[in-house]
Amino acid sequence: MKLYFGAMFRARHHFGDASSVRTRRVFLYLLGVPGWLIATVMSHSEARHYRIDAAIQEERKPAQEWQVRGIESALRDPMQSVQILGLRKMEFFSRIDGISARQIGRLLEVPDNRELVTAAASQLGRIQAKKETPELVKLLDSRDSSVRLAALSAIGLMQADKQAQVVGTLLNDPDPNVRGTAASVLVVLHAREQAPYIAKLLRDPNEDVREAAVLALVEMRAREMVPAFVRYLKDPDPNLRSNSAYALGQMHITEETADLVILLR
């Protein structure tokens, strides 16, 4: 009983009195009260959702043991919506000890649930689960662009340098979000050899992709692209001219230097 009231005190502190009825049910579940009893006032699925929803204390702090148990339970839950909720709640903590990357990685094996797969991929990137990189690479071939994008972002967060070549293939992806993200991820992967391919995106029909390409080349300090940028200053495409001028400025290429490059070419 003391344990129950201690839990209820924490609930009021974090959630407020207005949610006390719901919170009592949540903590009854957390404290091991049989599910059939809670089911008299709410369905089992609601109880599982609320149980995980209670596993938030303060943003970006290490998860406490009871919170880890709640999230771990969500990842094992047969309902995919509960698994998704558990994955999303992980974002509220700076560290969660006791949950393995494999527990999350197995959720990538549910190809018919885009939301679940993207949430799992995002968390793997966030926790730097490099052992799951091969599984993420497989997702880069997904027909769903949001899945490709999530996997790509995760590989970037992991700084998986060995995947630079496969990431480079996504510079030709049909989805502009994927193309632009691929350019940005290649910067993180230190893939200077991809600079000529990123430069092709300077003529991309999508403005955001063109901007991502310019920023990527600048961040890479790809000075080997300076002659191309100088040529683009006279291109009929105004977007290409302005982006090239920006890149040259960021690389501290003066007008005099640009003229010299033209003469040398």
Side-chain angles (χ1 to χ4, degrees):
M1 185 61 69
K2 290 181 179 178
L3 180 60
Y4 169 73
F5 281 109
M8 288 309 306
F9 175 79
R10 291 197 299 274
R12 284 193 294 272
H13 175 69
H14 296 301
F15 298 99
D17 292 331
S19 61
S20 60
V21 174
R22 176 182 297 178
T23 307
R24 277 198 295 273
R25 295 169 183 169
V26 172
F27 277 91
L28 281 171
Y29 207 118
L30 285 170
L31 295 171
V33 175
W36 63 265
L37 183 57
I38 301 176
T40 61
V41 289
M42 65 164 60
S43 71
H44 286 291
S45 61
E46 287 176 323
R48 290 200 297 272
H49 276 86
Y50 290 142
R51 176 186 184 185
I52 307 310
D53 204 35
I56 306 174
Q57 185 182 26
E58 292 183 29
E59 190 172 355
R60 305 301 298 160
K61 288 189 175 182
Q64 297 180 17
E65 184 178 353
W66 67 274
Q67 293 168 320
V68 174
R69 287 200 306 269
I71 293 174
E72 190 174 27
S73 174
L75 299 182
R76 294 196 306 263
D77 197 276
M79 286 186 61
Q80 292 180 358
S81 60
V82 178
Q83 294 171 351
I84 293 168
L85 186 58
L87 288 166
R88 289 180 173 169
K89 296 312 178 189
M90 291 180 69
E91 298 177 2
F92 287 85
F93 304 102
S94 60
R95 190 179 73 250
I96 303 178
D97 298 325
I99 295 179
S100 69
R102 186 80 287 269
Q103 284 177 279
I104 303 172
R106 69 178 180 81
L107 300 178
L108 298 177
E109 302 167 6
V110 189
D112 58 334
N113 192 325
R114 173 180 63 183
E115 192 175 4
L116 178 60
V117 173
T118 54
S122 298
Q123 283 306 316
L124 287 172
R126 184 170 171 266
I127 66 175
Q128 301 283 302
K130 290 190 175 183
K131 288 185 178 180
E132 298 297 322
T133 302
E135 298 303 317
L136 290 168
V137 170
K138 292 178 184 177
L139 296 181
L140 297 179
D141 292 327
S142 172
R143 293 181 179 180
D144 192 314
S145 62
S146 64
V147 173
R148 296 196 302 274
L149 186 61
L152 182 60
S153 300
I155 290 171
L157 288 171
M158 293 177 184
Q159 298 184 8
D161 297 4
K162 294 181 180 180
Q163 306 305 325
Q165 187 172 357
V166 68
V167 170
T169 63
L170 295 179
L171 293 172
N172 298 316
D173 195 273
D175 188 316
N177 292 320
V178 176
R179 294 197 300 274
T181 301
S184 301
V185 169
L186 287 169
V187 176
V188 179
L189 302 186
H190 309 291
R192 281 283 300 274
E193 71 281 0
Q194 295 287 335
Y197 304 103
I198 295 174
K200 293 181 180 180
L201 296 182
L202 294 173
R203 293 186 181 275
D204 195 276
N206 185 279
E207 181 180 357
D208 292 335
V209 174
R210 294 195 299 269
E211 183 177 350
V214 171
L215 294 175
L217 292 169
V218 170
E219 287 296 322
M220 284 180 171
R221 295 181 173 83
R223 297 183 73 86
E224 66 271 21
M225 298 304 303
V226 168
F229 284 136
V230 171
R231 290 198 306 274
Y232 292 155
L233 292 176
K234 297 183 180 297
D235 195 274
D237 184 348
N239 292 315
L240 186 56
R241 292 200 303 273
S242 62
N243 284 331
S244 298
Y246 173 79
L248 290 170
Q250 291 298 306
M251 293 179 182
H252 305 292
I253 304 298
T254 64
E255 184 177 354
E256 291 78 10
T257 305
D259 290 339
L260 180 59
V261 169
I262 292 174
L263 290 174
L264 292 175
R265 297 294 291 182

